[in-house]
Amino acid sequence: MSEFTEKLILPDIPNLHQLDVYERHGGYQALRKAMGMKPEEIIEEVKKSNLRGRGGACFPTGMKWSFMPKQSTKPKYLCANGDESEPGTFKDRQIFECNPHLFIEGAIIAAYAMGVTTVYTYIRGEYAKWIAILQKAVDDAYARNYIGKNILGTGFGTEFVIYRGAGAYICGEESALMNSLQGERGYPRVKPPFPAQVGLYGCPTTINNIETIANVPIILNRGAEWYWKIGAPKQPGTLLYGISGHVNKPGVYEFPTGILLTDLIYNYAGGVPGEKKIKAVIPGGSSTMWLRGEEIEGVKMDADSLKAVGTAIGTGGVIVMDEDTDVLKVLARIAHFYHHESCGQCTPCREGCGWMEKILNRFLAGDGTMSDIDLLMDVANNIEGNTICALGDAAAWPVQSVIRKFREEFEARAKKSPTAPKPVTPPHLVTTFDA
Amino acid sequence: MLSKENFEKLERLKSQYPTTKSLSLPVLWMIQEQHGWISPESMQYVADLLQLPVSHVYGVVTFYTMFNTKPVGKYHLQVCTNVSCLLRGGEELLDHICKRLHVKRGEITLDQRFTVTEVECLGSCGTAPMLQANDEYYENLSTEKVERLLDEWSKG
Ligand SMILES: Cc1cc2nc3c(=O)[nH]c(=O)nc-3n(C[C@H](O)[C@H](O)[C@H](O)COP(=O)(O)O)c2cc1C
Ligand code: FES
């Protein structure tokens, strides 16, 4: 078990979502400190902390901030990504509910560091309740001059706007998010140009996940030196692990990066109901490659360790499946999700996701054949890397990994004595009687 | 068609975005809150209000799954059947609700009280299975719990 047990993002403090309580526990001190620093010093501190994005791609946050032009004739924007739609992910919601001011404080510090004039927080439409909680917190912060035209009398000003999505997984992809905020359909954009050059409304923009931003006040309060000693050095800090599926105590758990996956499942989440064995684990949200139950021993939950075993930390959303799980059924459901959520711009994703779902449903219906297994892999391989955004990859990875790791499941389900495919008769040869 | 309050709200929102196009989603949300769905006439209205082509508004409405393009029941039950919910009985829950209300997925009951929709992950995987009724989340459900909820909603 891990030695560092302090909860930095979701501490057990009752009513922390209220501004008074938050202030009493040191809230907005990091903002005061930041306002006494030069913007470049803040970016340097965040770089030194090694903070990496919690939205899925693990991009170094300080580096991302440094891409923003220092001088700009156009306004600069920060988009906080609260779309949270990756199946198995339910952590940002916890920040909105329990510690919204930590996120707001981080966002204002980020805005100051990058010279941002408006912070747009994009939240999925279904989160009506959490949008209301955050709006209340934002209003309170405005009233105490933590947000506004002249923050804490420093002369620096930034606005804070919450935008409600309306049901589309793709709007979590950063460029689709910007288009959605512009009132358009959520179509991802071709990159380059990158958002730091041409982003929201064509202006320099940085997009960060909610949890990423919530780490910023902690780094400023305690210092980068202190922060990067927590957890895995290359991806330090605590992580909000969301664990769901076949465990006794599903939920969000905050622990340092790099804890053992088995500790998370057995010690914190209470193990598998009925003491059953584990058949498979999805380590970081539905887009990440699966692990077989036999593989999870010794696996650590951080970017590098998971990469070493062929998968990724993703959003930290762990999904556990017990020995009785029909993995093909689960995979078919995932394939359905990506097919449904593909925005339709790129042919490989729009068509390929549908084909993958169809082939998988064929197996569920008992109509799959041995050659369908290779066909499925072929379709997945031809989606991967051939689309504007990573939704195509996200759809391909689970399929590829399940074929590789559970091929026997496909084989067992494939037709035992596959009838040779019916020869296709060209239309002009069709006779009046069937052979 | 916007209520007086929503008109005032719209005026306030205008200063938050550099373009009126950004107001597409917020205004469509207001329309849906008032009417429960977004009719072709409403789309024309929003287009005129924001001075945008109606094709743009139609494009936006049909892209986002939460915008209803037909009327929904007083209670719009949205049941998640994605992975984490699937593993904890989301499918069975959905089937149970459909059976009790005599509807198929996506349909509205004859008395227009309920619409039942199958939805993707709602970010509630740790409290699966779950459903969303209008804007409210109902989590850690079982057939008994959902029976009780349906009893209540059938009355009120
Ligand atoms: C299909 C797709 C969906 C995504 N959904 C989300 C999401 O819901 N929330 C999020 O923070 N990032 C999401 N991302 C990642 C974002 O594009 C982006 O990398 C992230 O918000 C950057 O923040 P970070 O650097 O703080 O991690 C998604 C990416 C893709 C390709
Ligand atoms: S899978 Fe149902 S809420 Fe996430």
Side-chain angles (χ1 to χ4, degrees):
Chain A
M1 286 214 199
S2 166
E3 300 124 45
F4 187 92
T5 51
E6 190 182 345
K7 295 185 184 0
L8 302 172
I9 295 174
L10 301 174
D12 300 313
I13 299 170
N15 299 319
L16 191 57
H17 65 282
Q18 294 169 4
L19 181 50
D20 287 337
V21 179
Y22 183 70
E23 282 178 334
R24 234 179 291 136
H25 288 88
Y28 288 103
Q29 290 308 325
L31 178 65
R32 286 175 205 279
K33 190 168 172 188
M35 290 300 193
M37 294 164 73
K38 289 204 193 82
E40 331 47 292
E41 288 171 349
I42 298 174
I43 297 181
E44 221 24 67
E45 191 72 5
V46 174
K47 265 191 189 164
K48 242 193 339 195
S49 77
N50 266 347
L51 172 64
R52 282 162 77 173
R54 307 294 200 235
C58 275
F59 196 85
T61 307
M63 195 195 294
K64 190 184 263 189
W65 291 8
S66 69
F67 294 156
M68 288 286 269
K70 282 211 180 57
Q71 307 298 333
S72 168
T73 48
K74 294 177 176 168
K76 291 184 264 183
Y77 298 116
L78 170 65
C79 293
N81 193 343
D83 193 54
E84 185 146 89
S85 306
E86 167 101 349
T89 312
F90 47 101
K91 63 187 179 74
D92 296 337
R93 169 185 151 177
Q94 218 64 25
I95 299 176
F96 294 139
E97 180 156 336
C98 305
N99 206 354
H101 284 289
L102 183 69
F103 156 65
I104 295 170
E105 186 177 6
I108 304 305
I109 295 170
Y112 173 70
M114 290 182 277
V116 158
T117 52
T118 308
V119 177
Y120 289 103
T121 298
Y122 188 100
I123 306 183
R124 62 179 302 175
E126 294 88 345
Y127 278 3
K129 175 179 156 191
W130 295 278
I131 290 174
I133 296 173
L134 185 68
Q135 187 63 59
K136 166 85 174 72
V138 168
D139 293 345
D140 291 348
Y142 261 107
R144 275 206 205 151
N145 212 9
Y146 295 129
I147 318 174
K149 300 224 170 346
N150 181 11
I151 295 171
L152 300 173
T154 56
F156 171 74
T158 195
E159 301 297 327
F160 196 109
V161 176
I162 298 174
Y163 201 77
R164 182 180 184 188
Y169 166 63
I170 192 61
C171 290
E173 194 281 335
E174 55 184 29
S175 59
L177 182 149
M178 295 189 290
N179 280 346
S180 182
L181 238 164
Q182 289 178 205
E184 315 258 5
R185 297 166 77 98
Y187 285 146
R189 303 177 185 174
V190 178
K191 285 176 251 180
F194 291 97
Q197 275 77 47
V198 184
L200 187 64
Y201 308 112
C203 303
T205 304
T206 290
I207 300 99
N208 276 132
N209 172 259
I210 303 296
E211 185 186 345
T212 310
I213 295 173
N215 274 281
V216 172
I218 297 162
I219 292 168
L220 283 200
N221 273 332
R222 315 255 193 134
E225 288 284 333
W226 177 85
Y227 184 87
W228 70 253
K229 293 199 186 100
I230 305 165
K234 286 192 182 158
Q235 187 206 7
T238 58
L239 201 69
L240 301 184
Y241 299 95
I243 180 163
S244 64
H246 295 144
V247 286
N248 283 313
K249 291 190 286 176
V252 173
Y253 293 89
E254 181 176 358
F255 285 103
T257 52
I259 60 166
L260 286 172
L261 177 54
T262 45
D263 269 353
L264 184 61
I265 297 173
Y266 292 104
N267 294 338
Y268 307 133
V272 182
E275 312 269 295
K276 284 187 194 169
K277 286 210 205 73
I278 293 175
K279 188 167 194 173
V281 175
I282 300 176
S286 65
S287 308
T288 54
M289 302 248 189
W290 295 26
L291 293 168
R292 277 184 79 107
E294 305 90 83
E295 290 178 294
I296 64 171
E297 202 58 52
V299 169
K300 286 185 180 164
M301 293 295 291
D302 63 83
D304 292 319
S305 306
L306 284 168
K307 199 167 160 204
V309 290
T311 178
I313 186 83
T315 59
V318 177
I319 307 174
V320 178
M321 295 173 240
D322 72 19
E323 56 187 315
D324 297 329
T325 309
D326 179 349
V327 292
L328 294 197
K329 189 169 177 200
V330 174
L331 187 64
R333 185 63 187 81
I334 292 180
H336 171 78
F337 169 73
Y338 289 106
H339 181 208
H340 183 257
E341 300 298 329
S342 171
C343 80
Q345 281 191 109
C346 313
T347 313
C349 175
R350 181 188 63 237
E351 303 299 324
C353 287
W355 293 342
M356 292 197 300
E357 185 188 358
K358 232 185 229 169
I359 298 169
L360 282 161
N361 282 337
R362 208 140 76 201
F363 278 97
L364 294 190
D367 290 330
T369 63
M370 295 299 253
S371 64
D372 276 341
I373 308 174
D374 299 324
L375 177 63
L376 184 61
M377 186 61 116
D378 196 38
V379 175
N381 291 346
N382 279 293
I383 300 174
E384 190 190 8
N386 291 322
T387 53
I388 292 176
C389 86
L391 188 141
D393 303 338
W397 291 330
V399 170
Q400 293 166 333
S401 73
V402 176
I403 297 176
R404 261 184 241 124
K405 303 213 162 156
F406 291 94
R407 198 178 176 95
E408 75 278 4
E409 298 262 339
F410 287 92
E411 289 173 354
R413 290 285 260 282
K415 276 192 192 159
K416 287 290 165 301
S417 54
T419 39
K422 274 196 198 133
V424 183
T425 321
H428 62 279
L429 292 180
V430 172
T431 49
T432 48
F433 54 89
D434 268 318
Chain B
M1 267 200 283
L2 280 188
S3 65
K4 192 166 158 283
E5 296 83 74
N6 276 334
F7 254 119
E8 286 164 13
K9 201 164 143 198
L10 178 60
E11 279 311 307
R12 285 198 303 274
L13 289 185
K14 277 182 183 163
S15 65
Q16 300 188 331
Y17 308 94
T19 67
T20 43
K21 209 186 222 180
S22 277
L23 298 169
S24 304
L25 271 75
V27 170
L28 288 167
W29 269 122
M30 291 176 193
I31 297 279
Q32 180 151 309
E33 273 157 25
Q34 285 181 221
H35 305 280
W37 68 297
I38 298 166
S39 64
E41 295 74 32
S42 298
M43 292 185 213
Q44 184 64 57
Y45 171 80
V46 172
D48 294 342
L49 184 72
L50 299 178
Q51 296 185 312
L52 295 166
V54 71
S55 59
H56 165 80
V57 178
Y58 180 81
V60 168
V61 171
T62 51
F63 185 83
Y64 297 94
T65 51
M66 288 187 82
F67 290 139
N68 304 318
T69 49
K70 20 179 229 238
V72 293
K74 183 174 174 200
Y75 296 94
H76 187 191
L77 310 184
Q78 298 146 87
V79 187
C80 173
T81 58
N82 212 308
V83 189
S84 308
C85 288
L86 181 79
L87 294 172
R88 296 180 83 95
E91 283 259 313
E92 292 76 10
L93 192 73
L94 176 58
D95 286 342
H96 184 87
I97 295 171
C98 287
K99 214 162 136 197
R100 152 128 185 209
L101 298 176
H102 305 291
V103 286
K104 291 206 208 56
R105 298 171 185 198
E107 286 180 350
I108 184 167
T109 52
L110 280 179
D111 62 1
Q112 315 226 318
R113 187 172 276 274
F114 296 102
T115 296
V116 184
T117 313
E118 178 181 16
V119 294
E120 297 301 344
C121 175
L122 291 174
S124 210
C125 326
T127 42
M130 59 83 65
L131 66 78
Q132 183 183 2
N134 302 336
D135 270 349
E136 284 283 319
Y137 276 30
Y138 295 86
E139 304 167 66
N140 288 315
L141 292 176
S142 58
T143 31
E144 297 77 49
K145 273 194 201 163
V146 94
E147 277 292 312
R148 259 180 277 138
L149 287 169
L150 288 173
D151 286 342
E152 198 182 303
W153 294 330
S154 300
K155 281 182 241 136

